[in-house]
């Protein structure tokens, strides 16, 4: 898959990454629970100030290498009803649950190159691609930030150009 297709892919990126990996995609939970929302996340989700959310930060490994860091911000209003199962994901990938079980709709997608990872203090890095998506589950928002790590195939030279 061409790098721009990975960034623009509207389906489950985890399932797509699995196609590029010779080993199962593994999810390592770095942190999850109720935490304050960063100002930029609050603005993106159009939430009032002083809000907390269910935050899940994970690392996805493909071919047993770190391919992706992801931060999911789920406002408490989104966690009602069937979306409450998102708190129980553990080391399961988010994508298949969003798309296959909750019928989530991606309503926006944006890209940028980042030089630090806000949720990892003192994380000065080379420019990495970050994809930010807003999903709606039963009309309630969810924010997903995905940072493509250097060993991710998105950075590999495409020999089929």
């Amino acid at each position: 898959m061409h790098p721009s297709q990975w960034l623009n892919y509207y389906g489950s990126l985890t399932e797509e990454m699995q196609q590029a990996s010779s080993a199962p995609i593994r999810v390592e939970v770095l942190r999850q629970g109720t935490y304050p929302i960063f100002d930029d996340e609050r603005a993106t989700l159009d939430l009032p100030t002083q809000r907390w959310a269910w935050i899940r930060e994970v690392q996805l490994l493909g071919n047993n290498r770190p391919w992706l860091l992801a931060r999911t911000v789920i406002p408490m209003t989104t966690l009602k009803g069937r979306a409450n199962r998102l708190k129980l994901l553990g080391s399961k990938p988010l994508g298949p649950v969003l798309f296959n079980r909750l019928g989530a709709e991606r309503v926006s997608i944006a890209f940028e190159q980042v030089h630090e990872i806000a949720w990892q203090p003192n994380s000065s890095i080379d420019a990495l691609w970050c994809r930010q998506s807003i999903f709606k589950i039963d009309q309630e928002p969810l924010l997903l930030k995905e940072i493509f790590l250097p060993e991710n195939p998105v950075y590999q030279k495409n020999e089929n150009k």
Side-chain angles (χ1 to χ4, degrees), residues 90-123:
S91 61
K92 294 178 187 164
L94 173 68
V97 173
L98 277 181
F99 291 101
N100 304 331
R101 294 208 176 144
L102 295 176
E105 175 189 2
R106 189 184 317 254
V107 295
S108 75
I109 189 168
F111 318 100
E112 66 177 330
Q113 285 197 305
V114 296
H115 297 278
E116 77 176 335
I117 302 168
W119 64 89
Q120 292 190 339
N122 304 318
S123 65

Side-chain angles (χ1 to χ4, degrees), residues 58-85:
V58 299
Q59 176 174 259
L60 274 69
L61 291 95
N63 295 334
N64 295 312
R65 300 266 207 223
W67 277 8
L68 191 84
L69 281 177
R71 176 177 166 94
T72 308
V73 179
I74 311 168
M76 297 308 190
T77 55
T78 303
L79 287 173
K80 60 188 175 204
R82 62 193 183 119
N84 194 47
R85 72 177 60 188

Side-chain angles (χ1 to χ4, degrees), residues 29 31-37 41 45 47 51-57 71-79 83-90 94 141-143:
V29 177
R31 179 173 85 145
Q32 69 179 1
T34 304
Y35 296 99
I37 304 172
E41 295 167 340
L45 289 167
L47 297 172
R51 293 291 297 256
W52 291 59
W54 182 263
I55 307 289
R56 180 174 185 250
E57 296 167 357
R71 176 177 166 94
T72 308
V73 179
I74 311 168
M76 297 308 190
T77 55
T78 303
L79 287 173
N84 194 47
R85 72 177 60 188
L86 294 171
K87 290 170 64 175
L88 307 173
L89 284 174
L94 173 68
L142 175 148
L143 175 64

Side-chain angles (χ1 to χ4, degrees), residues 10-35:
Y10 260 71
S12 170
L13 186 59
T14 306
E15 292 175 349
E16 195 60 32
M17 287 172 54
Q18 185 60 64
Q19 299 294 320
S21 179
S22 59
I25 294 295
R26 215 164 25 100
V27 177
E28 289 183 356
V29 177
L30 304 174
R31 179 173 85 145
Q32 69 179 1
T34 304
Y35 296 99

